[in-house]
Amino acid sequence: MAAVLDLAAAVGAADVRLAVWTFNERAIRLYERMGPTARQLTMGRLLPRGAGPAPVPDGR
């Protein structure tokens, strides 16, 4: 992770983000020990198979 942070700083990045599944508690503990902290929660829901895309409004 240090190499990623060094590279981000070298190119002038203001933020580094890491996506971790909430069920992966070992990874969360590891990353927290390395410095990142939780700042956002993204929620989702699996759709039934075959649900297909949502209809697109035609603008009428």
Side-chain angles (χ1 to χ4, degrees):
M1 174 155 235
V4 171
L5 296 175
D6 291 343
L7 176 60
V11 299
D15 190 30
V16 174
R17 295 176 186 229
L18 176 66
V20 184
W21 291 104
T22 55
F23 63 81
N24 195 343
E25 295 174 9
R26 287 180 60 199
I28 293 169
R29 286 193 305 271
L30 170 67
Y31 295 132
E32 286 177 337
R33 285 194 305 268
M34 298 173 93
T37 57
R39 297 187 318 194
Q40 178 179 338
L41 173 65
T42 302
M43 298 178 71
R45 181 176 176 171
L46 294 175
L47 298 175
R49 289 184 180 252
V56 177
D58 61 8
R60 290 186 221 182

